[in-house]
Amino acid sequence: MTRSALVLFSAGQDSATCLAWALSRYERVETIGFFYGQRHAIELEQRQTLRTILAAAAPGRLGDDHVVDLSGYGAIAESALTAERAIEMAETGLPTTFVPGRNLVFLAVAAALAYRRGAGTLVGGMCETDFSGYPDCRRATIDAMQSALSLGLDQPLKIETPLMHLTKAETWALAHQLGGAALVEAILEHSHTCYEGDRAHRHAWGYGCGACPACELRAKGWNEWREGVSA
Ligand code: ZN
């Protein structure tokens, strides 16, 4: 059994929960983040704060952080997240925030790093339950990628996606189960989800503009979880 995992960590609610999940299961955990020309460097700043808090809760387990510059890919994959285009639904039925092939590229790069670092498992916050229908977040895509990477590296590589079938409310419940109120508070305060990069407005569910699709989803999940807890 592999005891080392590499977590795809963007400092969003999902990947922060994934990092806590990995720290509860693996003796050694490292993190990887990607810069690909995002309009908001904010998520790269928040990752260090979250890493420090989560590391303290799992002494000796959290290792290095790796930030990889994929701005060349970002130039190819130009869309609303990487260019000044409106966030709207495209004719394909996907929001224009869809960056074609993003998770495939991230997983391939993460797999190369995991190979070098001796980690047999990648952990990612991909979720097909409660999001915008991104095809590269579906488990069928992840399964195919896991097979392709294992074949291409000529050694088994596992891709764990603990949030795959959870709603955003259930993701908060998982955080609570993993680290109690302290972890929920850390993720609430320090994780960043907003597409607009807004950290000026603090809501019950955390920071954000409150209007973009990511904020709407986060607010909805938080409210559903709180209503479920108090019911
Ligand atoms: Zn927002």
Side-chain angles (χ1 to χ4, degrees), residues 194-196 208-212 215:
C194 176
Y195 287 147
E196 302 294 338
C209 71
C212 76
C215 281

Side-chain angles (χ1 to χ4, degrees), residues 6 13 19 21 53 102 122 126 130 172 216 223-224:
L6 178 65
Q13 178 195 343
L19 179 53
W21 181 89
I53 295 170
R102 175 169 59 174
L122 301 179
M126 287 71 87
D130 204 13
W172 283 116
E216 285 179 3
N223 291 334
E224 285 175 4

Side-chain angles (χ1 to χ4, degrees), residues 2-231:
T2 172
R3 303 307 310 152
S4 181
L6 178 65
V7 179
L8 283 75
F9 181 58
S10 70
Q13 178 195 343
D14 289 348
S15 67
T17 306
C18 281
L19 179 53
W21 181 89
L23 287 166
S24 76
R25 277 167 178 73
Y26 295 88
E27 289 169 4
R28 184 75 177 168
V29 176
E30 298 189 5
T31 51
I32 182 170
F34 302 100
F35 178 82
Y36 56 102
Q38 296 102 315
R39 285 184 294 181
H40 318 299
I42 192 86
E43 65 182 50
L44 293 178
E45 295 169 24
Q46 293 306 116
R47 61 191 285 113
Q48 296 311 333
T49 306
L50 277 166
R51 272 178 48 89
T52 301
I53 295 170
L54 295 182
R61 293 195 170 199
L62 185 57
D64 290 346
D65 183 37
H66 311 266
V67 175
V68 179
D69 185 347
L70 294 179
S71 47
Y73 166 69
I76 297 169
E78 180 187 340
S79 85
L81 280 187
T82 51
E84 295 299 327
R85 279 171 54 182
I87 294 170
E88 58 192 20
M89 297 302 282
E91 287 177 6
T92 55
L94 291 166
T96 52
T97 48
F98 174 61
V99 180
R102 175 169 59 174
N103 278 308
L104 306 183
V105 173
F106 286 1
L107 287 167
V109 174
L113 181 70
Y115 185 98
R116 289 287 191 208
R117 306 292 294 177
T121 303
L122 301 179
V123 181
M126 287 71 87
C127 173
E128 64 181 24
T129 305
D130 204 13
F131 206 54
S132 311
Y134 294 170
D136 59 344
C137 289
R138 296 176 191 145
R139 187 62 221 189
T141 304
I142 303 300
D143 283 341
M145 200 64 186
Q146 180 175 272
S147 297
L149 291 168
S150 295
L151 287 168
L153 296 170
D154 200 24
Q155 66 181 41
L157 180 77
K158 200 168 168 52
I159 306 177
E160 293 279 9
T161 53
L163 312 185
M164 182 58 73
H165 302 293
L166 303 185
T167 64
K168 285 286 174 281
E170 289 167 339
T171 298
W172 283 116
L174 175 61
H176 192 265
Q177 182 190 323
L178 288 167
L183 181 60
V184 169
E185 181 59 29
I187 293 174
L188 185 67
E189 187 67 21
H190 301 294
S191 74
H192 185 80
T193 312
C194 176
Y195 287 147
E196 302 294 338
D198 186 330
R199 288 195 71 78
H201 300 94
R202 175 62 154 83
H203 312 266
W205 44 265
Y207 291 93
C209 71
C212 76
C215 281
E216 285 179 3
L217 193 65
R218 178 162 166 152
K220 180 171 170 282
W222 174 259
N223 291 334
E224 285 175 4
W225 182 60
R226 294 308 303 166
E227 284 162 16
V229 168
S230 60

